[in-house]
Amino acid sequence: MDASIMDWQPIWITLKLAATTVSVLLLIGTPVAWWLAHTPSRARVWVEAVVALPLVLPPTVLGFYLLIALGANGVIGGPFQSMTGASLAFSFAGLVIASTLYSFPFVVQPLQGAFEASGKTYLEAAWSLRASKWDAFLSVASPMAVRGYLTAIVLGFAHTLGEFGVVLMVGGNIPGKTKVVSIAIYDHVESLEYSQAHWLSGGLLLFSFAVLVMVYAFNRRLPVHVS
Amino acid sequence: MSTIQSRFRVQYQQFLLDTELEFPDEGVTVVFGRSGSGKTTFLRCLAGLERSPTGYLKFGDHVWQDASHNLFVPVHHRPIGMVFQEARLFPHLTVRDNLNYGYRRIAPEHRKITFNQVADLMDLHPLLDRRPQKLSGGEQQRVAIGRALLTSPQLLLMDEPLANLDAQRKQDILPFLIRLRREMKLPIVYVTHSLGEVLQLVDTLILLQEGKSVASGSASEVLSRLDLAGKTGPSTLGSVLTTTVADHESEYGLTRVQYRDQSLYIPEQPLAVGSSLRVHLLAQDISITLGKPETPTSVLNRLPATVLEIGPTDSRGSSVNLKLDVGEPILATITRKSLAHLKLKPGMQVYATVKAVRMVHEIEEY
């Protein structure tokens, strides 16, 4: 087989989408996970349920509501369009928003678990050693949650690579803009281009497997074990 | 004298801490109580880890909390060192980095103790490059104490630092605590449910029961209060004397210690003349005689005493507690029959015969 028939554009878009999504998720997911791990508030169960929704909803349901919200008259898409003049639906930015929501639990849950495992006890020790709350978060809670972060990054990344339904509904299938690998494979199969489908599928399979092996190997060697 | 003034009221579902206490900001203040007495909550209020909504706390000249002025100095701005029951060493850092954690966070001009001084004091040099998980419980606590000391605290708070250690480890750590008390001019508030382990250290004693303070004052005063007899546990009923080593009589295997103008003989101690030693006179080891001091006797330790107070007699029990003045107040437990036979009354001059003087570290757990 000839590697030149390999479709590089969807691969590039997919990696860019996954990397952007994971970055956004870490920024938003960390405070949410921290709040969930430490709050005594009764609102906690409601927030936890909302965070977990993408795990149980069919991607098409999420995609449908997102399409409406991101559309020119939607609650997000409307203001965005009037400010920037660009449309969110069927754009890369729209895809990032959709992926962020779709992969939210995969980042928040491992982080929440890690923060809960180390608990407040070490933070109290840090405060008593003159560390401010922010300092204690950075110098104690975060390094102790390193496994949680690793799991969150890998799961968030992998889950974004693997999404199909939401991307199809929100992003459409615009080559060079929103056409990601999973959709490219679908297109190839539809048009019976099995050899291209093989290349992309095999590549994704090997890549995912290699990443997971690396993570598990690395995870074992981490010094911090918090139970 | 400068003091720590505190007033805390903390309410949980089944529990209320409600204390108003003033105690010296020097020496070792032991807060004693059974589990659920609120002693840990009290300590956490001092640290600022717990916030009593109506609380007040003044350390020397500095107000750390005053609810009426909405003032609350957060934990990391209080010059305290805290040692928890579980050492709480950071698992992602080596012993050295744990020790440096607080040290790096204080301004160099506020550092009153160096890394090496602390490592020497707590004997930490062999442990520095190890991970906390690889240390024994006693080693972990030594590191935790050292880590707290390296913030050059003005007040050291210790929450049952020995509670999770077995008897042997306790004996390993105690000398370090004694050294700490002796060598650092650092006030310590020490919370415990086991008085025996800290009799060597205690200067001021606070007794908490069900969230309330039932007694506070100098340790020898509180321990010899008849109305508290039994509240501190049987092994502590009696009193603690701070003595000075006077001389050794090696041919008899004895050491003579002095307090005020009295002498006591104890088994020979490997201590230099002039060093200070706490001894514990258990109430059950003290008996009373009326005879003249010239009467030959095999008893070495006989102290002239005045009967101060006679405790309540329980018609079901056979014994009664007396409070005697031997220069310091001490307690003696005798039988009710002896009390009647000797016709003891407050104010009477008697002799207290000490059957055994215990070194404080010999006291067993009860």
Side-chain angles (χ1 to χ4, degrees):
Chain A
M1 270 196 294
D2 182 1
S4 65
I5 60 169
M6 184 97 162
D7 222 347
W8 289 105
Q9 209 165 44
I11 295 176
W12 166 238
I13 290 174
T14 304
L15 292 178
K16 194 168 78 166
L17 176 65
T20 315
T21 301
V22 167
S23 311
V24 173
L25 272 173
L26 286 178
L27 279 178
I28 302 172
T30 302
V32 172
W34 184 262
W35 183 83
L36 285 173
H38 289 112
T39 184
S41 161
R42 283 172 205 272
R44 181 192 139 127
V45 287
W46 296 87
V47 176
E48 275 183 313
V50 170
V51 167
L53 267 182
L55 290 175
V56 291
L57 280 183
T60 44
V61 172
L62 195 64
F64 172 62
Y65 284 124
L66 273 169
L67 190 60
I68 291 173
L70 298 180
N73 300 314
V75 288
I76 306 171
F80 185 85
Q81 188 144 19
S82 59
M83 274 192 298
T84 63
S87 165
L88 263 184
F90 311 116
S91 74
F92 184 77
L95 266 195
V96 172
I97 293 176
S99 309
T100 301
L101 280 174
Y102 185 52
S103 297
F104 207 55
F106 291 85
V107 169
V108 169
Q109 287 181 351
L111 288 181
Q112 185 187 343
F115 291 147
E116 277 171 357
S118 66
K120 231 179 135 179
T121 55
Y122 293 99
L123 290 172
E124 289 183 345
W127 302 337
S128 78
L129 294 164
R130 309 288 183 279
S132 66
K133 303 233 158 168
W134 180 240
D135 182 359
F137 168 75
L138 289 178
S139 61
V140 173
S142 299
M144 283 183 69
V146 63
R147 286 163 170 263
Y149 273 103
L150 196 65
T151 310
I153 290 169
V154 171
L155 287 183
F157 197 87
H159 192 244
T160 308
L161 289 190
E163 71 184 277
F164 178 76
V166 176
V167 174
L168 190 65
M169 293 196 65
V170 175
N173 184 0
I174 305 168
K177 266 178 80 185
T178 62
K179 186 174 186 170
V180 296
V181 171
S182 57
I183 289 171
I185 292 169
Y186 181 75
D187 276 357
H188 286 314
V189 173
E190 285 274 272
S191 37
L192 299 175
E193 295 159 350
Y194 274 33
S195 100
Q196 283 97 327
H198 263 305
W199 272 108
L200 283 178
S201 302
L204 202 57
L205 180 71
L206 276 180
F207 177 77
S208 306
F209 182 68
V211 166
L212 289 176
V213 167
M214 261 161 41
V215 166
Y216 285 124
F218 181 60
N219 219 347
R220 276 191 160 276
R221 292 178 43 198
L222 281 180
V224 184
H225 296 257
V226 182
S227 56
Chain B
M1 185 177 59
S2 171
T3 62
I4 298 170
Q5 278 173 269
S6 71
R7 190 176 64 242
F8 299 126
R9 197 181 152 87
V10 180
Q11 173 99 57
Y12 294 126
Q13 287 94 343
Q14 294 293 316
F15 168 79
L16 175 73
L17 173 76
D18 190 0
T19 59
E20 191 162 353
L21 286 163
E22 182 168 4
F23 50 97
D25 66 352
E26 59 183 29
V28 176
T29 300
V30 168
V31 181
F32 170 79
R34 301 189 188 288
S35 63
S37 61
K39 55 191 188 304
T40 293
T41 307
F42 174 74
L43 195 75
R44 291 172 59 84
C45 283
L46 289 180
L49 290 170
E50 210 81 45
R51 185 171 183 170
S52 159
T54 55
Y56 180 83
L57 176 60
K58 188 175 178 190
F59 175 77
D61 297 330
H62 301 278
V63 179
W64 285 353
Q65 181 177 1
D66 186 353
S68 61
H69 291 89
N70 205 19
L71 172 80
F72 184 81
V73 178
V75 189
H76 68 280
H77 286 317
R78 298 187 184 196
I80 54 155
M82 180 104 185
V83 178
F84 299 90
Q85 188 171 341
E86 343 76 58
R88 302 198 188 180
L89 300 179
F90 303 129
H92 61 294
L93 301 177
T94 60
V95 167
R96 186 190 307 278
D97 290 337
N98 265 283
L99 289 169
N100 272 325
Y101 188 91
Y103 189 63
R104 292 212 182 102
R105 284 171 170 74
I106 53 169
E109 63 269 24
H110 290 140
R111 292 175 187 161
K112 289 178 290 191
I113 189 165
T114 66
F115 187 93
N116 276 328
Q117 280 173 312
V118 168
D120 287 342
L121 184 73
M122 292 286 137
D123 192 17
L124 299 175
H125 290 289
L127 311 177
L128 292 178
D129 294 314
R130 291 167 55 191
R131 291 257 170 200
Q133 301 88 314
K134 307 276 183 199
L135 304 182
S136 71
E139 289 169 335
Q140 291 191 12
Q141 272 313 1
R142 266 156 53 203
V143 176
I145 295 168
R147 183 175 71 169
L149 289 179
L150 274 167
T151 61
S152 300
Q154 292 169 31
L155 174 66
L156 185 63
L157 306 172
M158 306 183 102
D159 185 9
E160 307 217 33
L162 303 183
N164 285 347
L165 307 179
D166 58 40
Q168 184 54 47
R169 298 276 172 229
K170 276 183 194 168
Q171 294 306 324
D172 291 347
I173 285 254
L174 261 175
F176 290 101
L177 295 179
I178 293 164
R179 210 194 275 182
L180 183 66
R181 176 178 173 278
R182 199 174 52 222
E183 292 180 18
M184 309 256 305
K185 294 269 169 285
L186 174 62
I188 299 175
V189 179
Y190 188 113
V191 159
T192 184
H193 70 280
S194 155
L195 255 188
E197 71 188 30
V198 287
L199 284 177
Q200 187 73 49
L201 304 168
V202 58
D203 297 305
T204 304
L205 185 57
I206 294 172
L207 240 62
L208 290 187
Q209 215 170 29
E210 284 161 14
K212 296 237 177 352
S213 151
V214 289
S216 73
S218 84
S220 58
E221 224 170 86
V222 174
L223 283 174
S224 60
R225 263 176 61 177
L226 282 175
D227 59 322
L228 300 173
K231 284 194 175 158
T232 54
S235 77
T236 51
L237 183 56
S239 57
V240 173
L241 298 180
T242 304
T243 66
T244 312
V245 175
D247 47 46
H248 300 287
E249 295 183 14
S250 297
E251 69 269 37
Y252 298 119
L254 291 173
T255 291
R256 190 168 65 89
V257 297
Q258 278 185 311
Y259 73 96
R260 309 239 165 167
D261 52 351
Q262 303 290 341
S263 286
L264 284 172
Y265 284 98
I266 59 173
E268 188 164 18
Q269 301 295 309
L271 291 170
V273 169
S275 51
S276 146
L277 178 72
R278 293 258 182 125
V279 296
H280 188 220
L281 303 181
L282 261 185
Q284 66 194 45
D285 291 336
I286 313 287
S287 54
I288 308 275
T289 55
L290 299 176
K292 295 185 196 115
E294 297 80 37
T295 318
T297 166
S298 69
V299 176
L300 282 172
N301 293 320
R302 231 155 72 119
L303 304 168
T306 310
V307 178
L308 290 177
E309 215 180 314
I310 296 170
T313 48
D314 179 352
S315 56
R316 281 165 303 167
S318 61
S319 62
V320 58
N321 294 320
L322 305 183
K323 186 171 181 173
L324 307 170
D325 180 9
V326 294
E328 296 280 343
I330 65 167
L331 288 186
T333 304
I334 61 170
T335 60
R336 287 200 291 130
K337 188 178 166 75
S338 306
L339 178 71
H341 182 67
L342 297 177
K343 299 189 181 65
L344 295 173
K345 293 274 176 310
M348 266 175 80
Q349 301 294 317
V350 297
Y351 287 89
T353 304
V354 184
K355 284 175 281 191
V357 182
R358 306 189 185 219
M359 291 334 100
V360 166
H361 51 81
E362 285 172 6
I363 294 164
E364 297 292 317
E365 286 294 296
Y366 60 89

